[in-house]
Amino acid sequence: MLKPNHNYENLKDSYLFYRIAQKTRAYVESHDGAYLYRLGIGDVSLPLCDEVIKALHEAVDDQAKKETFHGYMPECGAHFFRTAVASYYQHRGVKIDPEEVFVSSGASDELGDILDLFDKSDDALIPEPAYPAYVDANVMAGRKIVHLASGKDNGFLPVPDDGVKAQILYICSPNNPTGAVFTKEKLKKWVDYANATGAVILFDAAYEAFIEDDSLPHSIFEIEGARTCAIEICSLSKTAGFTGTRCGYTVIPKELEREGMNLNAMWVRNRTTKTNGVSYILQKGAAAVFTEEGQKQIRANIAVYKRNAKYLTDALDKLGIWYCGGKNAPYIWMKCPRGMSSWEFFDFLLEKAQIVGTPGEGFGSCGEGYFRFSTFGSPEDTKIAAEKLIELLSE
Ligand code: PLP
């Protein structure tokens, strides 16, 4: 009899988005198909930019001709893609060798797959509130999870203390769900801790392109010492609207070694065994994001989401409600007003203003009493939702 992976029995039902979908469906059915202002889901609403579309079309045409046709791509990434990413880092003064860049089908895939590099006995530290996939990927792998709660007192940016004991350290900055961003000084504390203890940081930089404050780090490799303790996982999903197109990249420095094993070399071995690369067409489209024109165009899309954020943060400022995020991140994390719990506030907003957000409790127990707004929705709806918030909560 085959023995299945019984760790799956330890997974909690992923009830957050399921419960949101159930509640919103029930509301619409009982309110004559009422229109909802959807600020819940973290999916983009703007299409790919012209520069990416042009590159995708050209790459499709390449595949139609014998002289330009590409079969299997190099598993770790096409040279043109790896150099495009390396020069993107170089623009911010971070020196990365193209061979330290690995193409991926997105950050989710990579966040799960990368665990292959670690032993089962390595514990994973997950600062919470957290993107739920971090927890589930480690539960599936049967790994012990150390939950590190954060809160309003530390601006949802915890730093390690002597009590922290884990070998795999997750850091997401700008953060989903809180929108909080680590300063260089605070991030340095994690880097020093990892180097001192031999831990490895998995730095999720999926939202780096939303940072507008020049003093904040886009990459952990802006921090001295990170090359010997960190892996950075990035995605073009939110940066350039690739949620349905799929492409990302991972940076593993060649200096990163533990117990005489080189993690960059191990990942080369992993990729060449477990993947046959990302398609030529997609890598061409993704590389166009890093051209001068591509950058201009994706920045214009990000500016639309930033304007959405401003509608909402202006409303919260006017109401005197505490929040973080929104400025350097596409998420706004607010304190639920009037002492409401996350789900009470969810129901209240849905009933009274037809606004759908995400209850903070779904991202870990320390998220109770908080609520997440996504700024990826339509500007028209976000503007109306912000006005409705003011009207509802100033009563
Ligand atoms: N990491 C974080 C923090 C995210 O919020 C998301 C998606 O919402 C991802 C990773 C996954 O991104 P991708 O679409 O590249 O799989």
mmCIF file with all atom_site columns, all heavy atoms in Angstrom, residues 296-310:
data_model
loop_
_atom_site.group_PDB
_atom_site.id
_atom_site.type_symbol
_atom_site.label_atom_id
_atom_site.label_alt_id
_atom_site.label_comp_id
_atom_site.label_asym_id
_atom_site.label_entity_id
_atom_site.label_seq_id
_atom_site.pdbx_PDB_ins_code
_atom_site.Cartn_x
_atom_site.Cartn_y
_atom_site.Cartn_z
_atom_site.occupancy
_atom_site.B_iso_or_equiv
_atom_site.pdbx_formal_charge
_atom_site.auth_seq_id
_atom_site.auth_comp_id
_atom_site.auth_asym_id
_atom_site.auth_atom_id
_atom_site.pdbx_PDB_model_num
ATOM 1   N N   . LYS A 1 296 ? 9.436  52.267 -18.009 1.00 0.00 ? 296 LYS A N   1
ATOM 2   C CA  . LYS A 1 296 ? 8.561  53.446 -18.035 1.00 0.00 ? 296 LYS A CA  1
ATOM 3   C C   . LYS A 1 296 ? 7.091  52.999 -18.016 1.00 0.00 ? 296 LYS A C   1
ATOM 4   O O   . LYS A 1 296 ? 6.269  53.533 -17.279 1.00 0.00 ? 296 LYS A O   1
ATOM 5   C CB  . LYS A 1 296 ? 8.859  54.249 -19.308 1.00 0.00 ? 296 LYS A CB  1
ATOM 6   C CG  . LYS A 1 296 ? 8.887  55.716 -19.040 1.00 0.00 ? 296 LYS A CG  1
ATOM 7   C CD  . LYS A 1 296 ? 9.584  56.566 -20.039 1.00 0.00 ? 296 LYS A CD  1
ATOM 8   C CE  . LYS A 1 296 ? 8.925  56.587 -21.400 1.00 0.00 ? 296 LYS A CE  1
ATOM 9   N NZ  . LYS A 1 296 ? 9.751  57.136 -22.433 1.00 0.00 ? 296 LYS A NZ  1
ATOM 10  N N   . GLN A 1 297 ? 6.810  51.993 -18.826 1.00 0.00 ? 297 GLN A N   1
ATOM 11  C CA  . GLN A 1 297 ? 5.416  51.567 -18.956 1.00 0.00 ? 297 GLN A CA  1
ATOM 12  C C   . GLN A 1 297 ? 4.896  50.859 -17.707 1.00 0.00 ? 297 GLN A C   1
ATOM 13  O O   . GLN A 1 297 ? 3.760  51.077 -17.292 1.00 0.00 ? 297 GLN A O   1
ATOM 14  C CB  . GLN A 1 297 ? 5.266  50.671 -20.192 1.00 0.00 ? 297 GLN A CB  1
ATOM 15  C CG  . GLN A 1 297 ? 5.503  51.449 -21.475 1.00 0.00 ? 297 GLN A CG  1
ATOM 16  C CD  . GLN A 1 297 ? 5.373  50.595 -22.729 1.00 0.00 ? 297 GLN A CD  1
ATOM 17  O OE1 . GLN A 1 297 ? 5.051  49.413 -22.667 1.00 0.00 ? 297 GLN A OE1 1
ATOM 18  N NE2 . GLN A 1 297 ? 5.625  51.197 -23.871 1.00 0.00 ? 297 GLN A NE2 1
ATOM 19  N N   . ILE A 1 298 ? 5.738  50.004 -17.088 1.00 0.00 ? 298 ILE A N   1
ATOM 20  C CA  . ILE A 1 298 ? 5.226  49.332 -15.882 1.00 0.00 ? 298 ILE A CA  1
ATOM 21  C C   . ILE A 1 298 ? 5.070  50.339 -14.731 1.00 0.00 ? 298 ILE A C   1
ATOM 22  O O   . ILE A 1 298 ? 4.166  50.223 -13.916 1.00 0.00 ? 298 ILE A O   1
ATOM 23  C CB  . ILE A 1 298 ? 6.069  48.107 -15.445 1.00 0.00 ? 298 ILE A CB  1
ATOM 24  C CG1 . ILE A 1 298 ? 7.498  48.518 -15.075 1.00 0.00 ? 298 ILE A CG1 1
ATOM 25  C CG2 . ILE A 1 298 ? 6.045  46.995 -16.482 1.00 0.00 ? 298 ILE A CG2 1
ATOM 26  C CD1 . ILE A 1 298 ? 8.032  47.745 -13.916 1.00 0.00 ? 298 ILE A CD1 1
ATOM 27  N N   . ARG A 1 299 ? 5.949  51.354 -14.719 1.00 0.00 ? 299 ARG A N   1
ATOM 28  C CA  . ARG A 1 299 ? 5.836  52.389 -13.667 1.00 0.00 ? 299 ARG A CA  1
ATOM 29  C C   . ARG A 1 299 ? 4.509  53.148 -13.815 1.00 0.00 ? 299 ARG A C   1
ATOM 30  O O   . ARG A 1 299 ? 3.911  53.570 -12.834 1.00 0.00 ? 299 ARG A O   1
ATOM 31  C CB  . ARG A 1 299 ? 6.986  53.409 -13.738 1.00 0.00 ? 299 ARG A CB  1
ATOM 32  C CG  . ARG A 1 299 ? 8.353  52.803 -13.573 1.00 0.00 ? 299 ARG A CG  1
ATOM 33  C CD  . ARG A 1 299 ? 8.744  52.581 -12.121 1.00 0.00 ? 299 ARG A CD  1
ATOM 34  N NE  . ARG A 1 299 ? 9.689  51.476 -12.070 1.00 0.00 ? 299 ARG A NE  1
ATOM 35  C CZ  . ARG A 1 299 ? 9.915  50.692 -11.046 1.00 0.00 ? 299 ARG A CZ  1
ATOM 36  N NH1 . ARG A 1 299 ? 9.257  50.866 -9.921  1.00 0.00 ? 299 ARG A NH1 1
ATOM 37  N NH2 . ARG A 1 299 ? 10.773 49.717 -11.099 1.00 0.00 ? 299 ARG A NH2 1
ATOM 38  N N   . ALA A 1 300 ? 4.076  53.336 -15.062 1.00 0.00 ? 300 ALA A N   1
ATOM 39  C CA  . ALA A 1 300 ? 2.798  54.039 -15.295 1.00 0.00 ? 300 ALA A CA  1
ATOM 40  C C   . ALA A 1 300 ? 1.646  53.201 -14.727 1.00 0.00 ? 300 ALA A C   1
ATOM 41  O O   . ALA A 1 300 ? 0.700  53.748 -14.135 1.00 0.00 ? 300 ALA A O   1
ATOM 42  C CB  . ALA A 1 300 ? 2.607  54.296 -16.787 1.00 0.00 ? 300 ALA A CB  1
ATOM 43  N N   . ASN A 1 301 ? 1.710  51.891 -14.879 1.00 0.00 ? 301 ASN A N   1
ATOM 44  C CA  . ASN A 1 301 ? 0.660  51.029 -14.305 1.00 0.00 ? 301 ASN A CA  1
ATOM 45  C C   . ASN A 1 301 ? 0.702  51.051 -12.778 1.00 0.00 ? 301 ASN A C   1
ATOM 46  O O   . ASN A 1 301 ? -0.326 51.139 -12.117 1.00 0.00 ? 301 ASN A O   1
ATOM 47  C CB  . ASN A 1 301 ? 0.819  49.585 -14.796 1.00 0.00 ? 301 ASN A CB  1
ATOM 48  C CG  . ASN A 1 301 ? 0.310  49.415 -16.213 1.00 0.00 ? 301 ASN A CG  1
ATOM 49  O OD1 . ASN A 1 301 ? -0.185 50.369 -16.820 1.00 0.00 ? 301 ASN A OD1 1
ATOM 50  N ND2 . ASN A 1 301 ? 0.422  48.221 -16.753 1.00 0.00 ? 301 ASN A ND2 1
ATOM 51  N N   . ILE A 1 302 ? 1.921  50.981 -12.251 1.00 0.00 ? 302 ILE A N   1
ATOM 52  C CA  . ILE A 1 302 ? 2.052  50.996 -10.780 1.00 0.00 ? 302 ILE A CA  1
ATOM 53  C C   . ILE A 1 302 ? 1.495  52.311 -10.225 1.00 0.00 ? 302 ILE A C   1
ATOM 54  O O   . ILE A 1 302 ? 0.851  52.336 -9.170  1.00 0.00 ? 302 ILE A O   1
ATOM 55  C CB  . ILE A 1 302 ? 3.528  50.768 -10.373 1.00 0.00 ? 302 ILE A CB  1
ATOM 56  C CG1 . ILE A 1 302 ? 3.901  49.298 -10.636 1.00 0.00 ? 302 ILE A CG1 1
ATOM 57  C CG2 . ILE A 1 302 ? 3.781  51.125 -8.908  1.00 0.00 ? 302 ILE A CG2 1
ATOM 58  C CD1 . ILE A 1 302 ? 5.365  48.950 -10.434 1.00 0.00 ? 302 ILE A CD1 1
ATOM 59  N N   . ALA A 1 303 ? 1.682  53.404 -10.999 1.00 0.00 ? 303 ALA A N   1
ATOM 60  C CA  . ALA A 1 303 ? 1.175  54.712 -10.544 1.00 0.00 ? 303 ALA A CA  1
ATOM 61  C C   . ALA A 1 303 ? -0.352 54.690 -10.390 1.00 0.00 ? 303 ALA A C   1
ATOM 62  O O   . ALA A 1 303 ? -0.903 55.367 -9.523  1.00 0.00 ? 303 ALA A O   1
ATOM 63  C CB  . ALA A 1 303 ? 1.597  55.801 -11.525 1.00 0.00 ? 303 ALA A CB  1
ATOM 64  N N   . VAL A 1 304 ? -1.016 53.899 -11.218 1.00 0.00 ? 304 VAL A N   1
ATOM 65  C CA  . VAL A 1 304 ? -2.485 53.786 -11.106 1.00 0.00 ? 304 VAL A CA  1
ATOM 66  C C   . VAL A 1 304 ? -2.846 53.132 -9.772  1.00 0.00 ? 304 VAL A C   1
ATOM 67  O O   . VAL A 1 304 ? -3.735 53.603 -9.054  1.00 0.00 ? 304 VAL A O   1
ATOM 68  C CB  . VAL A 1 304 ? -3.054 52.965 -12.295 1.00 0.00 ? 304 VAL A CB  1
ATOM 69  C CG1 . VAL A 1 304 ? -4.546 52.679 -12.102 1.00 0.00 ? 304 VAL A CG1 1
ATOM 70  C CG2 . VAL A 1 304 ? -2.799 53.686 -13.611 1.00 0.00 ? 304 VAL A CG2 1
ATOM 71  N N   . TYR A 1 305 ? -2.120 52.067 -9.419  1.00 0.00 ? 305 TYR A N   1
ATOM 72  C CA  . TYR A 1 305 ? -2.386 51.394 -8.136  1.00 0.00 ? 305 TYR A CA  1
ATOM 73  C C   . TYR A 1 305 ? -2.031 52.307 -6.955  1.00 0.00 ? 305 TYR A C   1
ATOM 74  O O   . TYR A 1 305 ? -2.674 52.283 -5.918  1.00 0.00 ? 305 TYR A O   1
ATOM 75  C CB  . TYR A 1 305 ? -1.606 50.076 -8.052  1.00 0.00 ? 305 TYR A CB  1
ATOM 76  C CG  . TYR A 1 305 ? -1.940 49.098 -9.168  1.00 0.00 ? 305 TYR A CG  1
ATOM 77  C CD1 . TYR A 1 305 ? -0.941 48.401 -9.852  1.00 0.00 ? 305 TYR A CD1 1
ATOM 78  C CD2 . TYR A 1 305 ? -3.262 48.860 -9.545  1.00 0.00 ? 305 TYR A CD2 1
ATOM 79  C CE1 . TYR A 1 305 ? -1.242 47.498 -10.864 1.00 0.00 ? 305 TYR A CE1 1
ATOM 80  C CE2 . TYR A 1 305 ? -3.574 47.968 -10.565 1.00 0.00 ? 305 TYR A CE2 1
ATOM 81  C CZ  . TYR A 1 305 ? -2.550 47.293 -11.222 1.00 0.00 ? 305 TYR A CZ  1
ATOM 82  O OH  . TYR A 1 305 ? -2.857 46.408 -12.224 1.00 0.00 ? 305 TYR A OH  1
ATOM 83  N N   . LYS A 1 306 ? -0.996 53.120 -7.159  1.00 0.00 ? 306 LYS A N   1
ATOM 84  C CA  . LYS A 1 306 ? -0.597 54.051 -6.093  1.00 0.00 ? 306 LYS A CA  1
ATOM 85  C C   . LYS A 1 306 ? -1.698 55.090 -5.847  1.00 0.00 ? 306 LYS A C   1
ATOM 86  O O   . LYS A 1 306 ? -1.924 55.517 -4.724  1.00 0.00 ? 306 LYS A O   1
ATOM 87  C CB  . LYS A 1 306 ? 0.680  54.799 -6.491  1.00 0.00 ? 306 LYS A CB  1
ATOM 88  C CG  . LYS A 1 306 ? 1.884  53.919 -6.569  1.00 0.00 ? 306 LYS A CG  1
ATOM 89  C CD  . LYS A 1 306 ? 2.542  53.856 -5.233  1.00 0.00 ? 306 LYS A CD  1
ATOM 90  C CE  . LYS A 1 306 ? 3.745  52.981 -5.307  1.00 0.00 ? 306 LYS A CE  1
ATOM 91  N NZ  . LYS A 1 306 ? 4.526  52.991 -4.113  1.00 0.00 ? 306 LYS A NZ  1
ATOM 92  N N   . ARG A 1 307 ? -2.330 55.512 -6.960  1.00 0.00 ? 307 ARG A N   1
ATOM 93  C CA  . ARG A 1 307 ? -3.420 56.483 -6.810  1.00 0.00 ? 307 ARG A CA  1
ATOM 94  C C   . ARG A 1 307 ? -4.574 55.843 -6.029  1.00 0.00 ? 307 ARG A C   1
ATOM 95  O O   . ARG A 1 307 ? -5.201 56.465 -5.179  1.00 0.00 ? 307 ARG A O   1
ATOM 96  C CB  . ARG A 1 307 ? -3.888 56.963 -8.192  1.00 0.00 ? 307 ARG A CB  1
ATOM 97  C CG  . ARG A 1 307 ? -4.287 58.431 -8.187  1.00 0.00 ? 307 ARG A CG  1
ATOM 98  C CD  . ARG A 1 307 ? -4.569 58.977 -9.571  1.00 0.00 ? 307 ARG A CD  1
ATOM 99  N NE  . ARG A 1 307 ? -3.567 58.607 -10.540 1.00 0.00 ? 307 ARG A NE  1
ATOM 100 C CZ  . ARG A 1 307 ? -3.837 58.017 -11.727 1.00 0.00 ? 307 ARG A CZ  1
ATOM 101 N NH1 . ARG A 1 307 ? -5.069 57.728 -12.069 1.00 0.00 ? 307 ARG A NH1 1
ATOM 102 N NH2 . ARG A 1 307 ? -2.858 57.731 -12.570 1.00 0.00 ? 307 ARG A NH2 1
ATOM 103 N N   . ASN A 1 308 ? -4.824 54.566 -6.315  1.00 0.00 ? 308 ASN A N   1
ATOM 104 C CA  . ASN A 1 308 ? -5.850 53.844 -5.540  1.00 0.00 ? 308 ASN A CA  1
ATOM 105 C C   . ASN A 1 308 ? -5.502 53.868 -4.055  1.00 0.00 ? 308 ASN A C   1
ATOM 106 O O   . ASN A 1 308 ? -6.352 54.073 -3.198  1.00 0.00 ? 308 ASN A O   1
ATOM 107 C CB  . ASN A 1 308 ? -5.935 52.389 -5.994  1.00 0.00 ? 308 ASN A CB  1
ATOM 108 C CG  . ASN A 1 308 ? -6.619 52.236 -7.340  1.00 0.00 ? 308 ASN A CG  1
ATOM 109 O OD1 . ASN A 1 308 ? -7.218 53.180 -7.837  1.00 0.00 ? 308 ASN A OD1 1
ATOM 110 N ND2 . ASN A 1 308 ? -6.531 51.049 -7.922  1.00 0.00 ? 308 ASN A ND2 1
ATOM 111 N N   . ALA A 1 309 ? -4.216 53.621 -3.773  1.00 0.00 ? 309 ALA A N   1
ATOM 112 C CA  . ALA A 1 309 ? -3.774 53.592 -2.379  1.00 0.00 ? 309 ALA A CA  1
ATOM 113 C C   . ALA A 1 309 ? -4.029 54.947 -1.723  1.00 0.00 ? 309 ALA A C   1
ATOM 114 O O   . ALA A 1 309 ? -4.475 55.032 -0.579  1.00 0.00 ? 309 ALA A O   1
ATOM 115 C CB  . ALA A 1 309 ? -2.290 53.228 -2.308  1.00 0.00 ? 309 ALA A CB  1
ATOM 116 N N   . LYS A 1 310 ? -3.782 55.999 -2.492  1.00 0.00 ? 310 LYS A N   1
ATOM 117 C CA  . LYS A 1 310 ? -3.938 57.358 -1.946  1.00 0.00 ? 310 LYS A CA  1
ATOM 118 C C   . LYS A 1 310 ? -5.403 57.650 -1.610  1.00 0.00 ? 310 LYS A C   1
ATOM 119 O O   . LYS A 1 310 ? -5.694 58.263 -0.583  1.00 0.00 ? 310 LYS A O   1
ATOM 120 C CB  . LYS A 1 310 ? -3.356 58.349 -2.968  1.00 0.00 ? 310 LYS A CB  1
ATOM 121 C CG  . LYS A 1 310 ? -3.335 59.787 -2.568  1.00 0.00 ? 310 LYS A CG  1
ATOM 122 C CD  . LYS A 1 310 ? -2.055 60.122 -1.819  1.00 0.00 ? 310 LYS A CD  1
ATOM 123 C CE  . LYS A 1 310 ? -1.839 61.608 -1.620  1.00 0.00 ? 310 LYS A CE  1
ATOM 124 N NZ  . LYS A 1 310 ? -2.856 62.312 -0.874  1.00 0.00 ? 310 LYS A NZ  1
#
